[in-house]
Amino acid sequence: YPFILQIRERIQSRYVLEKVVDWFQQEPTLTRFLTLLRINIPIALLNPFLLYLFRQNESLSITLLTVQSISVCVLLFYLMRLYQLINIYGSYREMANHTSADDMERLSVVMLSADHRNEEEGYSTAKDKLYGRITEILIKEAKKRNGKIVDFPEEVIQIVGKIFYAAEKKRMYPRTSVDTTLIPLLYDAIYNKTHTKKELRKFIWLHLTRLLRAGNTDWLKSYWEWSSQFYRTMRYDSNYNKSERKDFFEMHSFFAAMVLRSNHMEL
């Protein structure tokens, strides 16, 4: 138990979100190990007394010893599995490989934690898996809607928010703050046929203003390039109505005004 508590503290200090400790505690390997440990403790305490009581009964004594031996062997097997699990949580690359592609929240936490700890391999593994999954979701959505434009799935928006927020913190997340892979995923309208509805635009705006204050020119430049292309697509796409085009044009123009007002000469 002291060893497991020590591991929990180590995991907590290694990741940017305390929730990772809860994920560790919910792992089947750990829960099974603890269950077996609880079973083994009473067996280990009771067996000497039972063996003494039934010392005349050889077959029963052998049965008791066999039960204890099997219990200990199974416990040791799960102890080895537990060591493997601890090694996985101790390596960002292994953690990214261990995590299911469907669990985008966990992948984003691994990616940002690796970035914060300056571990490039773990960051790249988690990022590739995460962005690959987002692309898969958008492709699946595209097939469902038969060419019609729909809103972004909510699960994607939640992850986008985490990454936007991290991009504002250049010192804490040096790679995320310059890696603008997410912008094409948001604005590649020709490929994704996704519509940035008003709520999503407000959400993006909140982060754009913060990025401007943080002086994160990489993300702002990428946003300008891709959103400009997105608007050109909107003008000739019959799936967008006049009101939607107008709303996006106003947002795009206001972004230009905001940048000009900031006197940021590079932008």
Side-chain angles (χ1 to χ4, degrees):
Y1 276 112
F3 170 68
I4 291 169
L5 289 172
Q6 187 182 3
I7 293 302
R8 283 180 54 189
E9 288 176 12
R10 197 186 303 168
I11 290 169
Q12 191 170 331
S13 65
R14 190 161 172 75
Y15 290 88
V16 294
L17 193 69
E18 290 183 6
K19 198 175 179 181
V20 179
V21 176
D22 296 329
W23 293 336
F24 175 71
Q25 289 178 309
Q26 291 164 12
E27 289 281 354
T29 300
L30 178 61
T31 54
R32 286 169 192 165
F33 172 77
L34 292 175
T35 303
L36 286 163
L37 189 61
R38 292 186 189 103
I39 292 168
N40 267 272
I41 289 169
I43 290 174
L45 292 172
L46 289 171
N47 245 13
F49 297 103
L50 293 172
L51 286 168
Y52 179 75
L53 286 172
F54 302 112
R55 60 187 181 276
Q56 304 300 329
N57 191 330
E58 190 177 336
S59 60
L60 188 58
S61 297
I62 291 169
T63 303
L64 288 169
L65 285 169
T66 304
V67 168
Q68 185 172 13
S69 300
I70 291 169
S71 299
V72 170
C73 287
V74 175
L75 180 66
L76 288 172
F77 171 75
Y78 274 98
L79 180 62
M80 295 302 103
R81 294 282 301 271
L82 182 59
Y83 272 113
Q84 288 176 350
L85 184 66
I86 290 163
N87 287 334
I88 286 168
Y89 273 78
S91 165
Y92 296 122
R93 183 176 63 82
E94 292 297 328
M95 185 64 170
N97 291 326
H98 172 71
T99 304
S100 166
D102 293 329
D103 195 344
M104 293 194 292
E105 183 188 12
R106 191 183 297 205
L107 283 172
S108 66
V109 170
V110 175
M111 183 184 90
L112 296 176
S113 300
D115 189 11
H116 181 52
R117 289 276 184 166
N118 200 28
E119 291 198 18
E120 189 174 354
E121 192 177 2
Y123 170 80
S124 299
T125 305
K127 188 196 82 169
D128 291 345
K129 198 168 182 178
L130 175 63
Y131 287 175
R133 179 58 185 155
I134 290 173
T135 305
E136 283 175 14
I137 290 170
L138 295 176
I139 290 169
K140 195 181 287 184
E141 288 292 317
K143 287 177 181 175
K144 283 184 195 173
R145 57 184 173 249
N146 296 320
K148 291 183 180 178
I149 294 170
V150 297
D151 297 324
F152 267 80
E154 186 61 34
E155 56 183 330
V156 173
I157 298 304
Q158 289 175 359
I159 300 303
V160 169
K162 290 179 186 294
I163 296 167
F164 262 120
Y165 182 72
E168 297 162 20
K169 302 180 178 181
K170 229 172 184 178
R171 288 184 182 178
M172 193 170 179
Y173 306 109
R175 288 183 175 82
T176 306
S177 62
V178 296
D179 186 345
T180 61
T181 310
L182 194 60
I183 297 291
L185 292 178
L186 284 173
Y187 282 103
D188 192 357
I190 300 168
Y191 180 64
N192 293 325
K193 294 288 183 185
T194 34
H195 172 51
T196 50
K197 63 180 180 179
K198 198 168 186 178
E199 288 74 15
L200 177 57
R201 291 202 301 269
K202 285 180 181 176
F203 169 81
I204 293 169
W205 267 107
L206 172 68
H207 291 285
L208 282 175
T209 51
R210 288 175 176 173
L211 286 167
L212 187 61
R213 287 195 208 105
N216 194 325
T217 56
D218 295 282
W219 278 73
L220 294 169
K221 283 176 182 177
S222 184
Y223 167 78
W224 178 259
E225 290 165 10
W226 283 94
S227 58
S228 298
Q229 181 179 318
F230 184 86
Y231 178 67
R232 284 195 293 273
T233 306
M234 286 179 78
R235 290 175 63 189
Y236 302 107
D237 195 324
S238 58
N239 286 306
Y240 290 101
N241 60 42
K242 189 176 179 180
S243 173
E244 288 167 344
R245 291 191 189 101
K246 183 185 174 187
D247 284 349
F248 194 85
F249 179 71
E250 285 177 355
M251 184 181 83
H252 202 52
S253 301
F254 190 76
F255 173 76
M258 185 175 72
V259 171
L260 289 169
R261 189 174 181 276
S262 71
N263 283 327
H264 200 303
M265 299 305 292
E266 187 184 349
L267 290 173

